[in-house]
Amino acid sequence: MASQGHGRTPLNANPNELTLVPSPHSSKFYPSPSSSHPTPHFDDTEAEVDLPDGPWRRLWELRLLHNMQCLSKHPFGEPTTAELQQMWSKDVPDMAISYAQKQGRCSLLYIELAHSALHLWTTSSDKQERDELIKLQQTYQLMCSKEQRRDVEDIPQASPKLLDYICFTALRIVAHSLALVQTLSIDPWEPPLQWLYMGHGAGYVFRMARESIKAEHETLIAKFVNTPPILRDADELLLGDFSRLAWLLDHPGHPSSIEAQTDQELNDKGVRSVYEQALSYTCSVLRAIERKEKPGAIARRLGGFAVWVPIEFSKFIEQRRPRALVILAHFMSLWLDYDNIWILGRAGEWQIRCIHKNLPVEWTCKLDGLFSKFKPR
């Protein structure tokens, strides 16, 4: 599926893989580092996606690696536990570089480089530098996607150490796609479909790996999932109390109106279940906020929405179903108080504004009150 906008080719990537869209960061035009559409499939007959070797690439990679190391010490801008700091600042970089050097597996290294480039892009005000960072971010992301397909194919016969590597790569891809939400086009609007679909893909990888990794195996991913917040209880996350947001499912028209009476969407039990699980997850994050969990923990919960909520919800967003858009807007409102965390930025505000513009007029009342939560600029 082609993305809207003008074509842009960073180096030797295919023209239809990249887009030129208005960046919400500036009144000028910049190529968006992201598309909400799935990464195009590559096979052996297609041109290689790569960066030409030379001083330009070498110097940029040194800078990206240095930035990655600095970023890993405080990924959410706050102090972390010694165990997590060891994991992100030493264990994961060591894993990325070791697998690239010794086994020729580069997916984790590529997504780390893409993530570092995106972080620098969000902080840079130099147009030439931003353009170069976009080339790097997009190309490394495409290179990671190609490498990861091989990783996933190897899961059935993978060793526990390789499964650890594959899981961390999937985890970093979800984090990166979450960070890309703030870069999506706002006119025309691009919903955060890439993040939603990437999260579902990561969930598939985690489930496959869980079946193969035994309790006696010491893995980094096991250490990670056992650090707060613990996101393993499906009953709490998807079947918990959502009564405070249940009104979002009601048709906005008067119950006696023709529109309300002819609205049959919720008569489908499967559809209703998808909406209720999305609301349940949203309310689980609300409860965590009320418990005053640390911002880093809340950010992890926000990213987990894409992993836990059924893939059908992503399809409903793609179809622009009003109920799905309203739920997404209220979920995005949870992002508003955490815009100082770079992977979130102002994505929540921009998505809410876009959803409001793209909703049928009669459904916009469901967003009343969200605009008052925006921070004055």
Side-chain angles (χ1 to χ4, degrees):
M1 184 183 298
S3 180
Q4 300 183 57
H6 303 287
R8 169 87 177 192
T9 306
L11 304 173
N12 58 349
N14 293 333
N16 65 346
E17 292 161 3
L18 306 164
T19 57
L20 183 68
V21 297
S23 166
H25 294 281
S26 170
S27 59
K28 297 180 180 180
F29 282 78
Y30 287 110
S32 168
S34 170
S35 169
S36 60
H37 304 301
T39 302
H41 176 73
F42 291 94
D43 58 39
D44 294 336
T45 64
E46 293 176 314
E48 287 292 317
V49 178
D50 202 354
L51 290 165
D53 203 1
W56 181 86
R57 176 176 179 175
R58 299 294 182 193
L59 290 172
W60 264 118
E61 287 184 342
L62 283 173
R63 185 177 172 189
L64 293 178
L65 286 168
H66 176 260
N67 183 63
M68 180 179 77
Q69 285 294 100
C70 295
L71 196 60
S72 65
K73 293 180 180 178
H74 303 294
F76 299 112
E78 63 183 18
T80 59
T81 65
E83 185 178 34
L84 278 176
Q85 188 163 336
Q86 163 82 11
M87 183 181 299
W88 292 119
S89 64
K90 185 179 187 304
D91 296 340
V92 174
D94 284 354
M95 179 190 289
I97 294 171
S98 175
Y99 268 85
Q101 184 178 30
K102 297 178 180 178
Q103 299 192 28
R105 291 184 182 270
C106 300
S107 52
L108 181 55
L109 179 59
Y110 287 156
I111 199 61
E112 292 288 357
L113 291 172
H115 204 55
S116 181
L118 179 61
H119 173 256
L120 290 175
W121 183 84
T122 64
T123 60
S124 176
S125 58
D126 182 272
K127 183 182 184 303
Q128 180 179 347
E129 183 177 71
R130 285 166 65 90
D131 287 344
E132 291 186 8
L133 286 165
I134 287 165
K135 292 177 182 180
L136 291 161
Q137 184 279 324
Q138 291 179 317
T139 307
Y140 281 122
Q141 184 185 19
L142 289 171
M143 290 162 68
C144 170
S145 296
K146 185 175 182 181
E147 287 274 327
Q148 199 215 16
R149 277 190 287 276
R150 179 181 65 147
D151 293 343
V152 173
E153 289 172 357
D154 289 345
I155 287 178
Q157 61 269 13
S159 66
K161 287 188 176 181
L162 179 55
L163 288 172
D164 206 18
Y165 172 88
I166 294 171
C167 284
F168 256 98
T169 302
L171 184 68
R172 299 304 283 160
I173 289 173
V174 175
H176 189 61
S177 59
L178 176 70
L180 285 170
V181 175
Q182 66 192 291
T183 74
L184 295 176
S185 169
I186 56 176
D187 187 18
W189 174 45
E190 280 190 272
L193 291 172
Q194 183 188 66
W195 164 57
L196 293 172
Y197 282 120
M198 288 293 184
H200 176 76
Y204 170 77
V205 170
F206 298 151
R207 287 189 294 274
M208 288 187 67
R210 186 173 57 197
E211 295 174 0
S212 301
I213 298 178
K214 306 302 180 184
E216 62 269 20
H217 295 144
E218 292 188 6
T219 60
L220 276 180
I221 197 66
K223 289 182 181 179
F224 175 78
V225 299
N226 285 313
T227 58
I230 308 299
L231 301 177
R232 287 201 302 263
D233 188 346
D235 288 346
E236 176 199 354
L237 299 174
L238 299 179
L239 302 176
D241 178 27
F242 61 88
S243 56
R244 71 171 86 181
L245 293 180
W247 62 277
L248 296 180
L249 297 181
D250 299 335
H251 191 280
H254 191 278
S256 62
S257 67
I258 295 176
E259 292 81 6
Q261 292 185 5
T262 57
D263 176 19
Q264 302 295 315
E265 185 181 30
L266 296 182
N267 290 347
D268 186 316
K269 292 182 180 179
V271 170
R272 176 183 281 275
S273 175
V274 169
Y275 287 145
E276 290 179 347
Q277 289 180 68
L279 287 175
S280 178
Y281 192 96
T282 302
C283 287
S284 75
V285 181
L286 272 169
R287 290 190 290 272
I289 293 172
E290 291 167 353
R291 290 194 300 269
K292 300 188 182 303
E293 286 190 5
K294 292 183 177 181
I298 299 300
R300 279 175 59 177
R301 289 184 181 275
L302 294 175
F305 182 94
V307 177
W308 281 93
V309 172
I311 193 173
E312 288 79 10
F313 184 79
S314 308
K315 296 175 181 177
F316 296 164
I317 295 294
E318 196 166 11
Q319 296 164 2
R320 307 283 177 102
R321 295 196 187 190
R323 282 187 176 88
L325 298 183
V326 165
I327 293 171
L328 181 63
H330 279 263
F331 175 74
M332 285 291 171
S333 73
L334 304 182
W335 299 35
L336 298 175
D337 289 335
Y338 302 94
D339 59 353
N340 61 314
I341 297 177
W342 84 268
I343 62 171
L344 301 178
R346 294 177 64 189
E349 176 185 340
W350 292 322
Q351 287 295 312
I352 292 169
R353 291 186 185 277
C354 290
I355 290 169
H356 187 271
K357 289 180 181 179
N358 285 271
L359 271 176
V361 174
E362 65 271 21
W363 282 88
T364 57
C365 63
K366 298 283 187 178
L367 273 55
D368 288 351
L370 296 189
F371 282 75
S372 65
K373 297 180 179 181
F374 295 165
K375 295 180 180 179
R377 305 290 177 180

